[in-house]
Amino acid sequence: MTTSLMETIRGLRPEEFDALDDSAGAAGCHHRLRQRESDRRWRVRYAVRREAGRLLAAVPAYTRLGAGWPDPAYDPRRWGLPAGTVPDDLTSDRCLFVGGCADLRSALHLAPTPGSEQVLRSVLVRLAGTAAEADQCLAFPYVFGPARRLLAHACRDRAVWTGLGREARFPEAGAPDREERAVSRVRGVLRRDRRLIAAAGVRTGVRGWADAGDDAADLIARHNTAKGSPDRPEFVELRHEQWALCEPVRVIVLTASAGTARGVLSALVRRRELELYEIGLTGQEGPDRIAVYLALLFHQPWAYARAHGLDSIRAGLSAEVPKKSRGAVLHDVYGGVLSAADTKRLADERP
């Protein structure tokens, strides 16, 4: 049983690859990672492990082709790691990102077998050897708790970690799943939401991205810019069109309006999961705008999920308090770094 490095997963069947690890949802599916392979800002490699013809791991790793940071969220110097952990002059080309380089969550693509820890250890030793040749450190961006524990063990607890946020998920399409007092509290919040939505006379709808794209892109770009993240409609369209080209994903747009307030929320449908993607909201501050926001972020997604037999909703890393108060389960997301020196040490060790 050996670990090989591949530059593409073109030769792996999508169903075989996706069966390894679905923890990142649409962001970790075969088609999405194939799109990453065509991004000329990155060099992509996969550490692939097979045993008796069975695929056990296909761990992606990314090296930036250039010293700049395409997304500051992937700069370990911004993660809040302990002082001295990351060099002040660290550039993106000096990191080998294990798991992902976009979408703010990563999957290891490691089969959940009794020997998975040993498999991951051998994979990381191979990747560490590749990184050491270029004097790189290993970086583990936006991994969930179970992956963090596996990685920490595989690195002999030498990696340094920090929390990067918590992803909100609504299990069973928003049905509260708590002890009775918490359930009662959530139901109270939802009743209040429904009263606000009804009083504002919110009008809602669902459209495909192809039908709503131009208007939705404008609203999303304006909303992002107003929140301090400069954006343009053509960039919004590009992001959504990439998802629309991802074969197993369907892009929808939820719409809502009341008085002067108008909003859109794009979402991704894959398998039995709905993922909330980007919001655009305009109008004067007041009850109408609040009602539109509540309809878009919570009540419309739940209604859509129930109507289409979806099991869960991913609701992103932001706005934890309002999501938790409406029944969301929060999943910790971590970032970790194995220093260049410890990466070399790992490369020299036996799996």
Side-chain angles (χ1 to χ4, degrees), residues 141-160:
Y142 297 91
V143 298
F144 293 106
R148 177 205 168 175
R149 289 189 287 274
L150 285 171
L151 288 165
H153 181 76
C155 292
R156 302 286 195 258
D157 292 320
R158 295 174 187 142
V160 181

Side-chain angles (χ1 to χ4, degrees), residues 255-275:
T255 65
S257 61
T260 63
R262 190 163 65 94
V264 298
L265 175 69
S266 62
L268 314 176
V269 184
R270 175 181 173 266
R271 292 185 172 178
R272 298 178 66 85
E273 186 172 76
L274 180 68
E275 179 185 332

Side-chain angles (χ1 to χ4, degrees), residues 14-265:
E15 57 272 22
E16 180 185 33
F17 179 83
D18 291 343
L20 291 173
D21 179 1
D22 204 33
S23 61
C29 75
H30 183 278
H31 289 82
R32 184 62 168 173
L33 267 62
R34 288 281 289 120
Q35 288 181 336
R36 290 272 162 252
E37 292 176 13
S38 63
D39 187 337
R40 295 184 180 181
R41 297 174 299 177
W42 298 92
R43 181 185 179 188
V44 185
R45 282 159 289 189
Y46 301 87
V48 177
R49 187 93 166 179
R50 286 186 180 275
E51 180 178 319
R54 181 188 176 190
L55 183 64
L56 297 181
V59 180
Y62 302 85
T63 297
R64 173 79 168 101
L65 299 179
W69 298 94
D71 185 346
Y74 280 80
D75 183 348
R77 296 171 301 179
R78 296 171 176 255
W79 289 355
L81 292 162
T85 302
V86 179
D88 292 337
D89 61 349
L90 183 70
T91 51
S92 59
D93 58 326
R94 291 171 56 195
C95 296
L96 183 63
F97 290 97
V98 177
C101 65
D103 296 323
L104 300 185
R105 59 186 182 278
S106 298
L108 292 181
H109 304 284
L110 177 74
T113 64
S116 59
E117 290 188 2
Q118 184 61 27
V119 171
L120 180 59
R121 170 77 179 170
S122 67
V123 164
L124 284 187
V125 168
R126 182 64 188 272
L127 290 176
T130 298
E133 292 174 359
D135 196 28
Q136 293 175 315
C137 65
L138 293 183
F140 311 107
Y142 297 91
V143 298
F144 293 106
R148 177 205 168 175
R149 289 189 287 274
L150 285 171
L151 288 165
H153 181 76
C155 292
R156 302 286 195 258
D157 292 320
R158 295 174 187 142
V160 181
W161 297 90
T162 190
L164 297 179
R166 295 190 291 181
E167 182 185 70
R169 298 181 200 168
F170 292 97
E172 299 178 11
D177 185 18
R178 296 287 192 279
E179 52 92 8
E180 189 58 36
R181 187 170 62 180
V183 168
S184 178
R185 188 163 55 243
V186 169
R187 287 174 178 163
V189 173
L190 299 182
R191 284 194 297 270
R192 185 189 63 190
D193 288 352
R194 287 192 286 268
R195 288 195 297 268
L196 290 170
I197 292 168
V202 176
R203 300 171 298 280
T204 63
V206 182
R207 302 166 69 183
W209 177 257
D211 297 326
D214 291 344
D215 183 51
D218 183 63
L219 278 177
I220 291 170
R222 280 196 278 161
H223 183 84
N224 288 342
T225 300
K227 293 294 183 180
S229 299
D231 205 353
R232 296 177 63 88
E234 51 265 39
F235 297 157
V236 177
E237 290 178 1
L238 178 60
R239 293 193 295 271
H240 286 78
E241 285 167 3
Q242 283 183 328
W243 277 116
L245 291 171
C246 193
E247 187 175 311
V249 175
R250 184 156 53 94
V251 184
I252 64 169
V253 178
L254 306 176
T255 65
S257 61
T260 63
R262 190 163 65 94
V264 298
L265 175 69

